[in-house]
Amino acid sequence: MAAKSQSNDPKTKSPGSVTFSKAATQGQWGRAWEVDWFSLASVIFLLLFAPFIVYYFIMACDQYSCSLTAPLADIATGRARLSDIWAKTPPVTTKAAQIYVAWVTFQGYFFPTDARDCKFTGSFFYNYMMGIEFNPRIGKWFDFKLFFNGRPGIIAWTLINLSFAAKQRELYGHVTNSMVLVNVLQAIYVLDFFWNETWYLKTIDICHDHFGWYLGWGDCVWLPYLYTLQGLYLVYHPVQLPTRYSLGVLLLGLLGYYIFRMANHQKDLFRRTDGRCLIWGRKPKVIECSFTSADEQKHRSKLLVSGFWGVARHFNYTGDLMGSLAYCLACGGGHLLPYFYIIYMAILLTHRCLRDEHRCANKYGRDWERYTAAVPYRLLPGIF
Ligand code: NDP
């Protein structure tokens, strides 16, 4: 795999690293070197708030049958104290805390696999969140980013969902069609990930993001706990959907998946064949572009303007959002909690889209402007 960052700052020296001689501002389109106050505030907010969200949602389901307001109401009216709620939570052990601190200290900071791949800003919190090292590894065989992105969380997603289906059966003697829908639609997404694993090596997570809390904690905690909320909700609220409604949800989920897969496939095919392929049965329209990397080498690349990449600049995200909405709709309309997923995905992918476009604009300059002129919308033609 070994995607190499093209974003090493030529004039920055990181601890234990080589110093690059040439000062240059070009080739700096990846993770930030300087953090403005808004990014810093957002990072600190997320570091504090994201673990709380995970805790609150799981606690609300385990202790209050997935009611988001009941814990607050209990505390406000004195029926429960924070300590009562906390007492029912499995504790963080000292050993776990020690292992975590030791890992963060040694892996990021002091013994990087490749010091030239490290990026430091002046902000500890930003470094911690967005990662310092690009490709941390143990030897040649264990790649942290690849392992954490592609194994524990995503495998747990399916296993936890199946466990919820089993629990429903144990509790009520049958598995509802909503649980089947959630399991089937999400399993398709996970199977797709493994089936197209080589494609996944070209995603932003692997190609551009450094390995920090955002990827590590996101993969190991956020993903398995919050992507499985629909299944957990259905354990406490066994919704049986009308047949027509469930068919509609299935259709939306499959259509979303189709767009997601085909859009990603089109870009992959286009890049693999250097544009010598057919998209929707025709020779693709192309924008030739160039960029300069940090070592001042000029490179050529191509942007696809046909197929889904001619409909909107990130129609692959739109497909993903349609699928995400289907998972939530599968839980019926009785409760807010299962809809957290579509709210979260809409924020994640909109932010990701803006982050990626900022990077592409820096990387390709005028050529990117030509692309945005040819394909003016990001996610939804005519709207955004
Ligand atoms: P993309 O696969 O959309 O990759 C964006 C990159 O593609 C750009 O940085 C640019 O890279 C290149 N590119 C952009 N426009 C074009 C074009 N017109 N022609 C050719 N290349 C282009 O982004 P992601 O890696 O974020 O997403 C991949 C998939 O993963 C998406 O479908 C997304 O929905 C899904 N996803 C799901 C998540 C989840 O939690 N469920 C989380 C994140 C993503 P370059 O510099 O090479 O030009």
Side-chain angles (χ1 to χ4, degrees), residues 136-154:
R137 288 159 186 264
I138 298 176
K140 284 199 184 325
W141 52 272
F142 189 85
D143 185 306
F144 278 84
K145 200 160 72 174
L146 195 56
F147 176 77
F148 283 103
N149 270 330
R151 289 293 178 271
I154 199 138

Side-chain angles (χ1 to χ4, degrees), residues 61 66 229-239 331 334-335 337-338:
C61 278
C66 297
L229 268 187
Q230 284 89 17
L232 181 59
Y233 170 81
L234 292 171
V235 169
Y236 291 97
H237 302 267
V239 175
C331 298
H335 214 288
L337 184 129

